[in-house]
Amino acid sequence: MITRFLLSNMDKRGYAFLAIVAAIGLLVPLANLLMPAGSPFHVSTATMSLWGKYLCYALLAISLDLVWGYCGILSLGHGAFFALGGYAMGMYLMRQIGSRGVYGNPLLPDFMVFLNWGELPWYWWGFSSFPFAMLMVLAVPGLLAFVFGWFAFRSRVTGVYLSIITQALTYALLLAFFRNDMGFGGNNGLTDFKDILGFNVQAQGTRAALFAMTCTMLIAGFLIARGIVTSKLGKVVIAIRDAESRTRFLGYRVDRFKLFVFTVSACMAGVAGALYVPQVGIINPSEFAPANSIETVIWVAVGGRGSLVGAALGAVVVNWAKTVFTSGFMAPYWLFALGALFVFVTLFMPKGILGTVQGWWEKRRKPETMPAAEPAPAE
């Protein structure tokens, strides 16, 4: 029943997206594990991990598009939810190190021993359990989004003011997590991970499993987001985006709809962060940087705001370009190129890459209507 609901009214673009991501999630790990290194079909572990990072960003972009593209909430702080999910996963991975750390302490992470912490802080309790850590991946970003949204939406804070407040939120978290006395590793963050669920996190098979799981979560996130926007609730959310005052005058509790979508979006961003950390191998306060959240907005704008597939496409395309252009002579100019890309898309491609290509394709396929021939005069 749930599957039927999620797949109901799915268009060709949605089915194509699901098919492509599923194929990537199956074929890439197989090409990594089964094909010899000299084969043209072999995918290296480094390449697989890199593209796994791109797909984590795609899930983050979908979560932002859910609130910005469909609800009209321009959040400049979604990087905070992404980072909080990453820290929850990082805390679990740090607890798995045990006595294999540099200082050999079976309970305290190395940075706590170095800073002369006497005991494990209470907020680290339970993170030795994978189910508890996964619960925190959802609960911590979701609870923060719920509390923030409760006050912001009930106070009817909208527009640029809400965007500035969300940016201030992520900047405040950046400053807090930089402090050594917070118990999250300070500016060095959490790193040197060993195991996940008893498997070596650096092993080829583990990397392949993480990539496949990332594809699975991307599909699940897309289906959940699409299920929301195509439901009756989604129609109200879109009405809030287009005419919030009219929707409120019709009797809808606008703040509750916005709060629900914002909280779900934060949970999705937290899952993206949790998948990102074991593949990258580190999580530090720089993930809270406001620039990261602004960059996520650019991904969605480039791919196509109000199109879940477009948001994912924009995240992959922009981050692939970032990898290419920051490794050569263009490295010092990448931020200028990124800003120019955002301006270009805003002025000349307001529907993003996907929307522009789709419009061009439909216009080309539409048959030209010929003017009707005038009847010949009667002789």
Side-chain angles (χ1 to χ4, degrees), residues 185-310:
N187 62 329
N188 293 321
L190 308 178
T191 188
D192 195 28
F193 308 132
K194 307 294 185 184
D195 297 334
I196 180 170
L197 290 173
F199 298 96
N200 184 354
V201 76
Q202 300 295 335
Q204 187 177 7
T206 306
R207 293 283 181 165
L210 287 170
F211 182 89
M213 181 56 64
T214 303
C215 292
T216 303
M217 289 296 102
L218 178 58
I219 291 174
F222 172 79
L223 290 176
I224 292 172
R226 195 181 183 283
I228 291 174
V229 300
T230 57
S231 65
K232 293 180 180 179
L233 182 149
K235 290 180 172 56
V236 177
V237 168
I238 294 174
I240 293 172
R241 177 197 66 188
D242 295 336
E244 181 173 336
S245 298
R246 291 186 181 183
T247 308
R248 182 179 289 109
F249 292 153
L250 288 173
Y252 290 100
R253 294 293 300 269
V254 169
D255 57 319
R256 295 184 178 180
F257 285 93
K258 295 170 77 171
L259 182 61
F260 172 78
V261 173
F262 193 66
T263 303
V264 171
S265 174
C267 292
M268 291 174 58
V271 172
L275 292 166
Y276 170 87
V277 168
Q279 297 183 82
V280 175
I282 187 173
I283 178 73
N284 58 40
S286 64
E287 296 297 337
F288 287 103
N292 292 349
S293 298
I294 296 174
E295 200 169 319
T296 306
V297 172
I298 296 177
W299 305 342
V300 176
V302 169
R305 177 190 170 196
S307 168
L308 300 173
V309 177

Side-chain angles (χ1 to χ4, degrees), residues 119-251:
E119 59 182 3
L120 194 70
W122 63 268
Y123 45 84
W124 278 75
W125 297 349
F127 277 96
S128 57
S129 168
F130 184 78
F132 178 83
M134 294 305 99
L135 178 62
M136 292 299 102
V137 165
L138 296 172
V140 174
L143 182 61
L144 177 62
F146 182 86
V147 173
F148 173 85
W150 175 267
F151 290 103
F153 301 142
R154 284 175 64 88
S155 302
R156 300 188 182 182
V157 180
T158 58
V160 66
Y161 303 104
L162 181 63
S163 300
I164 293 173
I165 293 174
T166 57
Q167 190 173 50
L169 172 67
T170 187
Y171 187 68
L173 289 170
L174 168 69
L175 297 179
F177 274 74
F178 259 119
R179 295 172 58 93
N180 287 326
D181 56 3
M182 282 288 290
F184 296 106
N187 62 329
N188 293 321
L190 308 178
T191 188
D192 195 28
F193 308 132
K194 307 294 185 184
D195 297 334
I196 180 170
L197 290 173
F199 298 96
N200 184 354
V201 76
Q202 300 295 335
Q204 187 177 7
T206 306
R207 293 283 181 165
L210 287 170
F211 182 89
M213 181 56 64
T214 303
C215 292
T216 303
M217 289 296 102
L218 178 58
I219 291 174
F222 172 79
L223 290 176
I224 292 172
R226 195 181 183 283
I228 291 174
V229 300
T230 57
S231 65
K232 293 180 180 179
L233 182 149
K235 290 180 172 56
V236 177
V237 168
I238 294 174
I240 293 172
R241 177 197 66 188
D242 295 336
E244 181 173 336
S245 298
R246 291 186 181 183
T247 308
R248 182 179 289 109
F249 292 153
L250 288 173

Side-chain angles (χ1 to χ4, degrees), residues 349-370:
M349 299 173 63
K351 294 183 179 180
I353 295 175
L354 193 62
T356 302
V357 171
Q358 184 180 10
W360 172 79
W361 179 253
E362 291 178 352
K363 183 177 180 180
R364 185 173 182 178
R365 291 186 61 185
K366 185 177 180 180
E368 296 183 1
T369 56
M370 300 295 294

Side-chain angles (χ1 to χ4, degrees), residues 22 41 51 63 69 73 90 95 116 204 210 238 247 257 260 322:
F41 300 103
W51 281 88
S63 73
I73 303 171
R95 292 299 308 275
N116 296 319
Q204 187 177 7
L210 287 170
I238 294 174
T247 308
F257 285 93
F260 172 78
K322 181 178 181 180

Side-chain angles (χ1 to χ4, degrees), residues 4 9 13 25 30 52 59 72 87 94 100 202-203 252 273 286 335 357:
R4 184 183 305 174
N9 301 321
R13 186 171 56 188
L30 291 177
L59 180 56
Y87 265 95
M94 291 298 290
R100 292 173 294 174
Q202 300 295 335
Y252 290 100
S286 64
L335 291 179
V357 171

Side-chain angles (χ1 to χ4, degrees), residues 309-320:
V309 177
L313 176 65
V316 173
V317 169
V318 173
N319 281 283
W320 172 81

